[in-house]
């Protein structure tokens, strides 16, 4: 078997990764739309509740009106675009990297560290590892093992580029 | 000439998108449709739920601006089960335990973020609700919830308190008391 063959994904492996991509995309898309459709939504309270080593940076974002508006806009539409992109498999590489960055920011603003208290309630119980971190690493896996060139609109782009 | 024709045939066939390519490219597109349908269903569900709730409360949201809710006709709330979830729910309605406020004041001394959050909590609009009943078999939970319920001015343990909610041991007692008061209390369960 050649080296290239070893690198080819089996159908079951490919389908499992595509399922992960679509599910994460669904999650992003819904989180985005919920924020877009709520005219009163702002990330201010979430940012004010930040802890960890980047706390002062997140507080600066929350307390600077122009920055907060930009952060809110990027958060709302960023989540929608990343979500749609992951589901459709269109520009997925960019979407996976952008999604991982967004999740890293969410994680860094609210790291579930020992002895750290938050005003906003968490939906689960965590110690250092939380769902944001897991989803972020799943997106890193999807960035390293792209699937959209096999199943997704990127296949059309990939094919036309190959010619 | 023949060779050239063959070459051009090869190029044309590779340029063509075959059915497999089209299907695999568009395979996840229907998921967007399923998402849109799910979102429409969920929004409809909550719209219906909210309109029923507002109807039950005889509350016309169109007449309201911001949180300018009528404070003369408060919605009475009874809390059944006063653990962590009830504590969060009561706090989201503006009723925090005085010890919690003490802790926030302490943290605010060295932290601007906490200071602003605490101020936001204290300054929040009156939601036109009052906690009139507490129900829990555990004394500690019930006592802490009573303190939260009477902390209508959102102050620390040395601050001014309002009327204490009545305590019930079982939800049956609470429901009976509610019935006697002509169902004026809206209970939430935990």
């Amino acid at each position: 078997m050649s080296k290239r063959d070893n690198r080819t994904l089996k159908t079951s492996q490919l389908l499992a990764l595509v399922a992960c991509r679509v599910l994460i995309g669904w999650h992003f898309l819904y989180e985005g739309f919920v924020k877009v459709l709520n005219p009163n939504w702002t990330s201010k309270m979430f940012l004010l509740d930040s802890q960890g080593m980047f706390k002062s940076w997140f507080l600066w974002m929350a307390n600077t009106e122009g920055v907060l508006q930009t952060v809110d806009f990027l958060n709302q539409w960023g989540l929608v675009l990343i979500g749609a992109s992951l589901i459709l498999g269109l520009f997925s590489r960019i979407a996976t990297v952008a999604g991982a960055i967004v999740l890293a920011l969410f994680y860094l603003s609210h790291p579930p560290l020992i002895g750290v208290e938050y005003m906003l309630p968490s939906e689960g119980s965590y110690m250092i590892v939380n769902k944001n971190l897991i989803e972020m690493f799943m997106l890193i896996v999807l960035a390293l093992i792209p699937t959209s060139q096999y199943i997704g609109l990127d296949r059309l782009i990939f094919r036309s580029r190959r010619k | 000439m023949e060779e050239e024709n063959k070459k051009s045939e090869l190029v044309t066939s590779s340029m063509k998108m075959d059915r497999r390519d089209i299907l695999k490219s568009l395979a996840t597109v229907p998921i967007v449709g399923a998402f849109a349908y799910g979102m429409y269903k969920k929004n409809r569900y909550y719209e219906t739920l909210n309109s029923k709730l507002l109807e039950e409360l005889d509350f016309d949201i169109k007449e309201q601006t911001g949180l300018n809710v009528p404070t003369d006709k408060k919605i009475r709330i009874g809390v059944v089960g006063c653990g962590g979830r009830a504590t969060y729910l009561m706090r989201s309605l503006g009723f925090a335990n005085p010890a919690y406020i003490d802790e926030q004041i302490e943290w605010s001394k060295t932290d601007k973020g906490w200071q602003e959050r605490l101020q936001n909590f204290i300054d929040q609009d009156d939601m036109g609700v009052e906690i009139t009943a507490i129900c829990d078999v555990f004394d500690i939970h019930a006592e802490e919830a009573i303190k939260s319920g009477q902390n209508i001015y959102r102050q620390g343990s040395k601050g001014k308190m309002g009327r204490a909610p009545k305590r019930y041991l079982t939800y049956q007692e609470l429901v009976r008391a509610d019935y006697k008061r002509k169902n004026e209390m809206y209970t939430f369960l935990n």
Side-chain angles (χ1 to χ4, degrees), chain B residues 68-87:
Chain B
N68 186 22
V69 290
T71 47
D72 55 324
K73 192 186 163 194
K74 285 190 183 283
I75 297 168
R76 296 192 180 96
I77 290 176
V79 186
V80 180
C82 306
R85 188 166 294 195
T87 307

Side-chain angles (χ1 to χ4, degrees), chain A residues 14 18 21-22 25-27 29-31 33-34 37 44-45 48-51 55 59 62-63 84 86-89 117-122 150-157 159-160 163, chain B residues 11 13-18 20-36 38-39 42-43 46 88 91 100 103-104 107 110-114 116-118 120-121:
Chain A
L14 176 68
V18 169
R21 194 191 82 206
V22 169
W26 185 291
H27 182 209
L29 191 59
Y30 189 66
E31 284 282 8
F33 268 126
V34 163
L37 295 175
K44 185 166 179 143
M45 289 314 286
L48 283 175
D49 202 24
S50 299
Q51 295 288 348
K55 181 180 170 175
L59 289 183
N63 292 319
L86 289 174
I87 293 177
L88 294 170
E117 297 274 345
Y118 294 103
M119 201 176 199
L120 302 172
S122 162
Y150 303 109
I151 297 179
L153 291 172
D154 278 343
R155 188 184 176 102
L156 298 176
I157 299 168
R159 256 192 82 97
S160 59
K163 279 147 205 168
Chain B
V11 170
S13 69
S14 71
M15 290 284 280
K16 271 184 190 168
M17 293 280 170
D18 61 24
R20 189 185 296 265
D21 277 326
I22 300 293
L23 282 175
K24 285 189 172 179
S25 300
L26 302 176
T28 55
V29 173
I31 293 165
V32 178
F35 176 89
M39 198 152 162
K42 192 168 177 179
N43 283 352
Y46 283 109
Y88 282 125
R91 209 182 292 158
Y100 173 81
E103 197 179 47
Q104 298 288 308
W107 290 347
T110 53
D111 191 320
K112 267 192 170 180
W114 281 112
E116 190 166 337
R117 266 173 298 181
L118 176 63
N120 282 343
F121 180 78

Side-chain angles (χ1 to χ4, degrees), chain A residues 92-162:
Chain A
S92 275
R93 180 65 75 85
I94 302 166
T96 47
V97 173
I101 292 169
V102 168
L103 289 169
L105 291 172
F106 289 166
Y107 178 82
L108 290 174
S109 76
H110 280 62
L113 304 175
I114 298 158
V116 168
E117 297 274 345
Y118 294 103
M119 201 176 199
L120 302 172
S122 162
E123 99 288 17
S125 306
Y126 305 108
M127 185 187 69
I128 302 167
V129 175
N130 65 8
K131 288 175 192 168
N132 283 337
L133 193 68
I134 297 165
E135 202 167 55
M136 183 187 94
F137 272 91
M138 196 58 230
L139 283 177
I140 292 171
V141 169
L142 289 168
L144 296 172
I145 313 172
T147 56
S148 56
Q149 63 198 54
Y150 303 109
I151 297 179
L153 291 172
D154 278 343
R155 188 184 176 102
L156 298 176
I157 299 168
F158 191 73
R159 256 192 82 97
S160 59
R161 266 197 198 163
R162 214 167 37 177

Side-chain angles (χ1 to χ4, degrees), chain A residues 22-80:
Chain A
V22 169
L23 293 174
I24 295 173
W26 185 291
H27 182 209
F28 267 73
L29 191 59
Y30 189 66
E31 284 282 8
F33 268 126
V34 163
K35 291 168 178 63
V36 168
L37 295 175
N38 180 359
N40 298 319
W41 181 85
T42 171
S43 59
K44 185 166 179 143
M45 289 314 286
F46 179 82
L47 290 171
L48 283 175
D49 202 24
S50 299
Q51 295 288 348
M53 60 192 291
F54 296 100
K55 181 180 170 175
S56 55
W57 187 52
F58 291 116
L59 289 183
W60 168 77
M61 284 182 185
N63 292 319
T64 316
E65 196 50 44
V67 176
L68 181 70
Q69 279 176 1
T70 313
V71 166
D72 283 351
F73 179 82
L74 287 176
N75 197 356
Q76 288 170 311
W77 288 103
L79 289 171
V80 169

